[in-house]
């Protein structure tokens, strides 16, 4: 690491040290506070356990990790910006404002995520929350006169030119990144350990990417992202330990939103939102697969998580049933498309009133994995989904970013 100086190195070591302490505090706090959450009615049943209706599991424990994360990031201000307190240095005001705006956006998102856990908001409202939370960041980006120009890939340059100034569309793109990252994690959920597990895999991938890029021209941006990723990983590992199968706690929408917003923020400020989105390949596939249900072309039950077969203690894909005549043309085409591509399995049958019914597995990659290799024990399913995240989210992205990209971009 040649580009960063000894001060940056000290800052990284300091960040790692306080992150370890922060992680240990989260680890201690969760068992201390979970009863309080249950008393405040923040609990849920672990739906895929044999004794599911007997044990209340504390919800929204992600808020503990998020709270400690924010404290760590506040402490980091004193160190990251201390160098510039020297009279001879020029204080980097724009960087400082960006740092604070990033924290404000994450903080707003945690608050709104927690509100969602308490109030159980409707889907249309849930989708909009990240839009509000991303405003501080977008407006600071605007006030700092940041570029809204994108470089086009080599193959299209003869037709469309070298670069495009997207103007206002760039802001739309950035808010969509925030909306996508948060919700994509929240809808790839329902198996113990999955929400926080995928977040940690993505965070580690961003961390590795930042470390590689520290030697490059944009080392400052990647250093910035690194300062966020280290405490994030440290504070969420204790949550994973307790949320892993069999879950002692649930992470809540708070954690999904907190994680998604943290990734969106570092991707936007670090100017690597495209690579960051590639780490979300499994989430992108899961989102595209979910479109028919999210946009009501096919009925979407409150929970799409897999269904337990209590006799063998293994999970099967969950099913949704509806009348064939209620299906519109577009819904039918989507059903056929995902059935031919083997993402879902459906069958037709006649009910007691002689109506033709359709019974289909829910449209998530969790159910797809069960269609392909189920029935599986919950922990095995979590492990397979983690492996998918590592192979198709992380390894594939590094291959695309450092090998395939040479065909599309100059560096
Ligand atoms: C999202 C999914 C929903 C999925 C749910 C599970 C969409 C559109 N929504 O909804 O299909 O069922 O997440 O989190 O895809 N739970 C378990 N085991 C787990 C995790 C959660 O049983 O490992 C149950 C618990 O009862 C828990 C509840 O799910 O209380 C939490 O659900 P919540 O996060 O509120 O659901 P959504 O995010 O709205
Ligand atoms: Mg959720």
């Amino acid at each position: 690491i040649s580009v960063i100086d000894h001060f940056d190195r000290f800052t990284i070591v300091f960040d790692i040290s306080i992150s370890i302490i922060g992680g240990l505090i989260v680890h201690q706090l969760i068992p201390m506070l979970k009863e309080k959450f249950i008393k405040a009615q923040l609990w849920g049943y672990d739906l895929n356990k044999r004794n599911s209706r007997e044990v209340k599991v504390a919800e929204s424990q992600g808020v503990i990790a998020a709270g400690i994360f924010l404290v760590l990031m506040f402490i980091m201000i004193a160190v990251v910006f201390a160098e510039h307190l020297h009279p001879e240095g020029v204080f980097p005001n724009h960087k400082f404002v960006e740092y604070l705006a990033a924290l404000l956006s994450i903080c707003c998102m945690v608050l709104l995520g927690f509100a969602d856990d308490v109030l159980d908001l409707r889907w249309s409202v849930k989708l909009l929350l990240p839009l509000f939370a991303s405003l501080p960041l977008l407006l600071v980006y605007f006030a700092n006169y940041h570029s809204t120009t994108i470089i086009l890939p080599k193959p299209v340059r003869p037709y469309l030119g070298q670069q495009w100034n997207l103007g206002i569309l760039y802001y739309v793109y950035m808010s969509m990144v925030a909306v996508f990252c948060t919700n994509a994690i929240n809808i790839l959920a329902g198996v113990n350990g999955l929400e926080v597990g995928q977040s940690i895999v993505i965070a580690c991938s961003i961390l590795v990417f930042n470390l590689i890029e520290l030697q490059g021209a944009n080392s400052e941006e990647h250093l910035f992202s690194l300062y966020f990723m280290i405490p994030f990983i440290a504070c969420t590992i204790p949550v994973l330990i307790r949320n892993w199968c069999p879950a002692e706690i649930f992470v809540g929408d708070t954690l999904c939103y907190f994680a998604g917003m943290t990734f969106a923020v570092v991707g936007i400020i670090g100017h690597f939102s495209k690579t960051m989105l590639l780490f979300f390949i499994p989430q992108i596939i899961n989102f595209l697969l979910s479109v028919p249900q999210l946009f009501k072309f096919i009925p979407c039950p409150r929970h799409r998580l897999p269904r337990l077969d209590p006799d063998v203690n293994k999970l099967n894909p969950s099913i949704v049933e509806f009348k064939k005549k209620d299906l519109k043309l577009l819904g039918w085409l989507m059903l056929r498309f995902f059935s031919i591509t083997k993402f879902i399995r459906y069958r037709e049958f006649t009910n007691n009133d002689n109506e033709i019914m359709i019974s289909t597995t829910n449209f998530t990659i969790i159910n797809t994995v069960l269609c392909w290799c189920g029935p599986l024990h919950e922990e095995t399913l979590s492990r397979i989904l983690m492996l998918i995240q590592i192979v198709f989210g992380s390894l594939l992205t590094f291959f695309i970013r450092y090998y395939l990209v040479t065909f599309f971009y100059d560096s």
Side-chain angles (χ1 to χ4, degrees):
I1 302 173
S2 55
V3 185
I4 63 168
D5 58 23
H6 75 278
F7 181 79
D8 297 330
R9 241 169 271 155
F10 166 75
T11 314
I12 293 176
V13 172
F14 182 81
D15 198 14
I16 294 174
S17 315
I18 60 168
S19 297
I20 292 172
I21 299 172
L24 290 174
I25 294 177
V26 176
H27 194 71
Q28 293 296 318
L29 278 181
I30 292 176
M32 280 163 66
L33 293 180
K34 66 177 191 193
E35 289 304 321
K36 284 195 188 300
F37 279 72
I38 294 176
K39 262 202 197 129
Q41 297 304 321
L42 282 168
W43 57 269
Y45 289 126
D46 197 346
L47 301 169
N48 284 325
K49 299 291 180 295
R50 277 172 166 159
N51 61 345
S52 66
R53 300 286 151 172
E54 288 158 29
V55 192
K56 289 179 179 177
V57 181
E59 261 282 7
S60 316
Q61 299 295 294
V63 77
I64 299 174
I68 300 296
F69 168 85
L70 285 170
V71 173
L72 295 179
M73 293 310 294
F74 296 149
I75 295 173
M76 283 298 289
I77 294 175
V79 182
V80 175
F81 296 98
E83 181 189 27
H84 308 282
L85 293 178
H86 292 298
E88 67 272 24
V90 182
F91 191 79
N93 278 308
H94 69 284
K95 282 261 146 239
F96 188 49
V97 173
E98 261 175 11
Y99 188 101
L100 292 182
L103 284 187
L104 188 56
S105 277
I106 296 173
C107 198
C108 281
M109 196 69 262
V110 173
L111 173 72
L112 293 174
F114 195 60
D116 179 23
D117 277 332
V118 176
L119 304 173
D120 223 341
L121 299 171
R122 271 186 298 128
W123 256 99
S124 44
V125 183
K126 274 185 197 225
L127 275 175
L128 288 179
L129 295 181
L131 205 60
F132 300 126
S134 64
L135 278 181
L137 189 73
L138 298 192
L139 295 178
V140 164
Y141 198 89
F142 178 74
N144 269 355
Y145 294 115
H146 270 304
S147 155
T148 53
T149 303
I150 55 159
I151 314 282
L152 293 178
K154 279 195 254 182
V156 301
R157 281 182 201 164
Y159 318 103
L160 302 174
Q162 178 96 4
Q163 55 185 36
W164 269 6
N165 187 358
L166 289 186
I168 188 87
L169 281 183
Y170 197 78
Y171 291 90
V172 176
Y173 162 73
M174 287 190 292
S175 47
M176 286 301 114
V177 169
V179 171
F180 173 79
C181 290
T182 46
N183 285 295
I185 296 177
N186 193 25
I187 64 171
L188 186 49
V191 184
N192 290 177
L194 183 56
E195 288 136 304
V196 58
Q198 63 184 304
S199 304
I200 291 176
V201 174
I202 296 171
C204 290
S205 314
I206 294 179
L207 183 105
V208 171
F209 178 61
N210 292 149
L211 286 174
I212 298 172
E213 291 294 316
L214 271 189
Q215 283 131 334
N218 300 323
S219 61
E220 222 180 299
E221 272 96 353
H222 289 280
L223 199 58
F224 187 90
S225 165
L226 208 58
Y227 295 152
F228 280 73
M229 283 306 115
I230 295 168
F232 178 87
I233 295 169
C235 291
T236 45
I237 284 176
V239 180
L240 176 65
I241 293 172
R242 293 216 156 77
N243 183 235
W244 191 255
C245 194
E248 192 189 311
I249 54 154
F250 287 140
V251 300
D253 292 348
T254 316
L255 185 116
C256 304
Y257 289 158
F258 160 52
M261 194 50 132
T262 308
F263 301 148
V265 157
V266 297
I268 289 170
I269 294 187
H271 294 112
F272 60 88
S273 59
K274 276 181 288 170
T275 307
M276 202 267 312
L277 284 178
L278 284 177
F279 291 131
F280 277 73
I281 289 173
Q283 284 73 12
I284 293 175
I285 295 171
N286 187 58
F287 170 74
L288 293 176
L289 179 60
S290 297
V291 162
Q293 289 195 306
L294 292 182
F295 297 101
K296 303 265 158 43
F297 293 104
I298 283 163
C300 184
R302 169 69 184 86
H303 281 292
R304 302 192 294 165
L305 45 75
R307 194 181 47 174
L308 180 75
D309 177 352
D311 296 334
V312 288
N313 198 21
K314 285 188 172 176
L315 301 180
N316 286 308
S318 56
I319 303 276
V320 57
E321 287 180 355
F322 51 91
K323 290 177 191 156
K324 190 176 178 184
K325 68 172 165 46
D326 292 342
L327 201 60
K328 306 265 177 335
L329 176 67
L330 225 48
W332 173 249
L333 290 176
M334 289 170 173
L335 186 80
R336 288 295 302 157
F337 174 78
F338 285 120
S339 159
I340 290 167
T341 49
K342 301 264 185 280
F343 279 100
I344 57 132
R345 258 194 329 231
Y346 82 96
R347 66 184 179 90
E348 289 179 23
F349 65 97
T350 316
N351 71 1
N352 295 341
D353 300 333
N354 242 345
E355 289 168 312
I356 302 175
M357 301 286 289
I358 289 180
S359 159
T360 174
T361 58
N362 278 307
F363 289 51
T364 67
I365 60 169
I366 308 173
N367 288 311
T368 302
V369 170
L370 289 173
C371 283
W372 291 350
C373 37
L376 294 172
H377 188 266
E378 187 169 7
E379 190 172 8
T380 318
L381 179 59
S382 294
R383 288 214 181 105
I384 293 176
L385 289 161
M386 287 301 105
L387 195 68
I388 290 178
Q389 187 71 43
I390 293 169
V391 175
F392 294 100
S394 309
L395 300 182
L396 181 61
T397 297
F398 283 113
F399 175 71
I400 295 174
R401 181 62 182 74
Y402 290 108
Y403 179 70
L404 284 190
V405 84
T406 49
F407 299 110
F408 297 99
Y409 289 98
D410 293 323
S411 63

